[in-house]
Amino acid sequence: MIVNEDTKQQQVKSMSSYLAPSVRDIPPSGIRKFFDLASGSKDIITLGVGEPDFTTPWHVREACVYSLERGMTAYTSNAGMTELREAISQYLLDSFKVAYDPKDQIIVTIGGSEAIDLALRALIVPGDEVLIPEPSYVPYSPITSIGGGVPVGIETFAKDNFKLTAESLEAKITPKSKVLILCYPSNPTGATMSYEDWLPIAKVVEKHDLIVISDEIYAELTYNQKHVSFSSIPGMMDRTIMVSGFSKAFAMTGWRMGYVCAHPELIAAMLKIHQYTVMCAPVMGQVAALEALRNGMEEKDRMVESYNQRRRLIVQGFHDIGLECHEPQGAFYAFPSIGSTGLSSEEFAQRLLLEARVAAVPGTAFGSGGEGFLRCSYATSVAQLTEALDRMGNFLHKLKTES
Amino acid sequence: MKELTELKLKVLDLLNEDARRSPTLLSTLLGVDVEEVKEAIAELEADHVIVKYAAVVNWSKIEDETVTALIEVQITPERGRGFEGIAERIYLYPQVKSVYLMSGAYDLLVEVEGRNLREVANFVSEKLSTIDSVLSTKTNFILKKYKQDGIIFEDREEDNRLIVSP
Ligand SMILES: Cc1ncc(COP(=O)(O)O)c(C=O)c1O
């Protein structure tokens, strides 16, 4: 067969014209870009990973294996196994004093990721503005755009420990504002919010009739203080869609287990999307998640203690090598300022990778307010952290003598 | 049993993971004063809670000649001293790596190491079995060590996470 080169070319060229503009126009993720640069290099110490360095506790893995031996391989109900939803409900009540009815207020999802997607898809019509405190977890803005919404960044600052303030929130509100996405403890800054911090935010939310997606996936990873769920703030329960999951607290990233909790009417809407797109979360993951909630608290506490130790190590380490860093109070990220070096985040991260073989993510990958900062995950061994800090210290010294 | 402070327990945990950690590193990890850590360590050493700082060695990597046996020993306890005197007679031999008093079908479990099978066999027949109150011995040779003191000996992949991720 003779293939006409011209038409072949033409076909390939026009492929992107088939794509939905909302998808085509999304720029590549800054994290992804950096990953491509880092992969293939050897002997790299990575502070770039946003996942626990622990393997899922054995009893959780074992429970899953045993369930497979017994042949638990079928679909579960759309919203997830009843026992699991009951366990999640009980856990949220015990830990954060928020009451969600397992019957019609909880859906078990494929990671917190699906939960965020469900919430945004259920809420947004084209043109709606979605407020996102930045630096922020990368997917919020692109998922908003895919749904036709307009992401509106709210810059937060190191001087406020990257907390959202009522003034800066209020300043970005327009008649089109509909959703506010909260993520505390924060990826990438490690910022947390206290009850007192929440009260003025709740007032603005109420005044402007916003609906809140509260991503609380790092709720278990707080140091020095207990996590305060946004739904537990008076008047906020019905306005809040709480997103969480098992990835971080129980070291279960690969299992893809999360959940979303909200007012029954919102849950019913999200359940429509969930049942028509994925049917239900995988049963193996649900069995494992149930075991984690029932018997995993001790292991979880042990892991949190270990993150806390390494948090102290990295903050002290940055201090010792002369990098300013606010004290992160949650998650497992430190967000030091590299402003004093005069390099942009991207340049700094790139040279740090190539010259010192330490991978960390430039702050600009997380939106406005990220310039001049670097996201460093401390979910890695004490030995690796010590070595990374050594290398960074030498690198900074070299930068100084250069100029 | 002695009640330890929370600090001492945490220090023990961290040193148990890696005995080479300095007091300065421990003080950073735990967020307490370095002097406090030093004091805790000194007390743990004085109280023989920390008995020794040793490396866990996977000897099979460098020499495959050594042989380890776990020997089940039945004995008649001595009047007044019970098992203590005999246990001491046994554990003083340098070939003996550990001695445990056991419940169950036998009394002492004795771990013996030798350069080869014959050496261990000789020890059992000439030294151990000939002790007056020893009634019987049953020698079990270790063929392969998979895990010791909580440490898995297999070479396992360390970290297979992506270099950069959300
Ligand atoms: C803030 C935040 N939300 C959600 C997720 C996604 O988690 P999951 O594995 O449950 O999809 C992550 C993962 O990095 C995260 O950092």
Side-chain angles (χ1 to χ4, degrees), chain A residues 116 120 130-133 140 144 179-183 212-213 215:
Chain A
I116 297 162
L120 282 167
V130 175
L131 299 150
I132 305 170
Y140 300 146
T144 299
V179 180
L180 168 65
I181 304 186
L182 297 170
C183 175
V212 171
I213 299 174
D215 182 348

Side-chain angles (χ1 to χ4, degrees), chain A residues 130-147:
Chain A
V130 175
L131 299 150
I132 305 170
E134 289 181 343
S136 85
Y137 177 51
V138 175
Y140 300 146
S141 164
I143 299 177
T144 299
S145 305
I146 290 172

Side-chain angles (χ1 to χ4, degrees), chain A residues 50 111-113 116 137 140 183 187 215 217-218 247-248 256, chain B residues 166:
Chain A
S113 303
I116 297 162
Y137 177 51
Y140 300 146
C183 175
N187 174 6
D215 182 348
I217 199 147
Y218 292 102
S247 286
K248 316 291 171 170
R256 313 305 309 122

Side-chain angles (χ1 to χ4, degrees), chain A residues 46 49-51 187 312 375 379, chain B residues 14 28-29 161-163 165-166:
Chain A
T46 175
V49 270
E51 61 178 320
N187 174 6
R312 294 192 189 103
R375 191 193 73 175
Chain B
L14 288 170
T28 307
L29 290 173
R161 296 176 297 168
L162 300 172
I163 291 180
S165 74

Side-chain angles (χ1 to χ4, degrees), chain B residues 63 65-69 95 97 112-117 119-120:
Chain B
E63 50 182 61
E65 284 297 303
T66 54
V67 172
T68 309
Q95 303 84 320
K97 289 184 67 188
V112 173
E113 199 174 83
R115 275 197 299 273
N116 49 44
L117 266 176
E119 203 174 274
V120 176

